[in-house]
Amino acid sequence: MTERELREIVARLHGELTRYGLVAWTAGNVSARVPGRDLMVIKPSGVDYDDLSADNMVLCDLDGVPVEGDLSPSSDTAAHAYVYRAMPEVGGVVHTHSTYATAWAARGESIPCYLTAQADEFGGEIPVGPFALIGGDDIGKGIVSTLTGHRSPAVLMRNHGVFTIGPTARAAVKAAVMCEDVARTAHLARALGQPIPIAQADIDALYDRYQNVYGQRPSPAPSS
Ligand SMILES: [Zn+2]
């Protein structure tokens, strides 16, 4: 994949944040690691979603410093860059303040696994990360310390919002969409009464099946 293609993908993926109602104004951003290079592509700061294009995505090094162009990168660039430095398997990072997930973050409560779809995507609870002020590496450290060794690709940073990771930027965007969907349903279930947690053995079975069997495969496989 060329840097140009990656710029187009990252610009286009921002459209998914608005399509799924995950962002207000310009708050929310997607980045991608440039494969095989110590570089990342990220949204410019403060540019309307309608005006995002391959040309105004910002190419940065993995310290978050722009390496070309005049635009400033997203104010969350330091957090994204920290994740890429600390987690070499991560190819994409997304940040939103999506409403329901951020309501859980505001209470500092992880989302228990009440739903099979959550077991599939997140392998259990969606965890809460520490409170951290923007600027410096504190947010990045909180993301990495919470998600390292955790099945969930999403963390609810306390009093702030959602960060998701994935092998690609598209996978990280999917995790952000699914995190908000799970947070909304869990909130409604909690409002109606006491939801029933799924047993750990069942969570494990669901996660294993979804991660290893579900979806389109080159050879015949079970599907649903
Ligand atoms: Zn934020």
Side-chain angles (χ1 to χ4, degrees), residues 18-87:
T18 53
R19 184 149 80 104
Y20 287 97
L22 304 187
V23 293
W25 200 238
T26 64
N29 38 71
V30 179
S31 71
R33 185 197 297 271
V34 181
R37 302 181 64 188
D38 288 336
L39 296 170
M40 58 187 270
V41 171
I42 192 166
K43 174 180 168 291
S45 182
V47 175
D48 286 349
Y49 283 91
D50 287 347
D51 297 329
L52 296 178
S53 69
D55 289 332
N56 61 21
M57 294 297 108
V58 183
L59 185 68
C60 295
D61 66 22
L62 295 190
D63 291 317
V65 178
V67 299
E68 64 182 35
D70 300 326
L71 289 169
S72 298
S74 162
S75 54
D76 296 302
T77 297
H80 290 244
Y82 188 94
V83 172
Y84 291 123
R85 292 201 305 276
M87 304 179 92

Side-chain angles (χ1 to χ4, degrees), residues 6 10 13 29-34 40-41 80 83-84 87-95 147 153 163-173 175:
L6 200 66
V10 172
L13 282 170
N29 38 71
V30 179
S31 71
R33 185 197 297 271
V34 181
M40 58 187 270
V41 171
H80 290 244
V83 172
Y84 291 123
M87 304 179 92
E89 71 280 16
V90 170
V93 178
V94 173
H95 174 48
L147 294 184
F163 281 84
T164 62
I165 59 175
T168 63
R170 180 180 163 79
V173 170

Side-chain angles (χ1 to χ4, degrees), residues 27-29 76 95-97 134 139 160-163:
N29 38 71
D76 296 302
H95 174 48
T96 81
H97 302 156
I134 197 165
I139 293 176
H160 183 175
V162 180
F163 281 84

Side-chain angles (χ1 to χ4, degrees), residues 113 115-120 123-124 151 196-210:
C113 193
L115 301 164
T116 58
Q118 183 176 346
D120 290 345
R151 285 175 177 170
I196 304 163
I198 301 175
Q200 187 62 48
D202 292 329
I203 291 172
D204 293 346
L206 287 160
Y207 183 70
D208 179 67
R209 176 185 173 281
Y210 188 77

Side-chain angles (χ1 to χ4, degrees), residues 143-223:
I143 298 165
V144 169
S145 66
T146 308
L147 294 184
T148 297
H150 205 292
R151 285 175 177 170
S152 174
V155 52
L156 311 174
M157 291 297 284
R158 186 163 68 80
N159 301 102
H160 183 175
V162 180
F163 281 84
T164 62
I165 59 175
T168 63
R170 180 180 163 79
V173 170
K174 181 187 179 191
V177 171
M178 294 308 199
C179 179
E180 178 65 2
D181 187 52
V182 161
R184 183 173 53 217
T185 308
H187 167 79
L188 291 173
R190 187 70 80 75
L192 292 166
Q194 185 53 51
I196 304 163
I198 301 175
Q200 187 62 48
D202 292 329
I203 291 172
D204 293 346
L206 287 160
Y207 183 70
D208 179 67
R209 176 185 173 281
Y210 188 77
Q211 298 297 322
N212 296 308
V213 179
Y214 177 81
Q216 305 295 325
R217 298 287 151 177
S219 55
S223 63

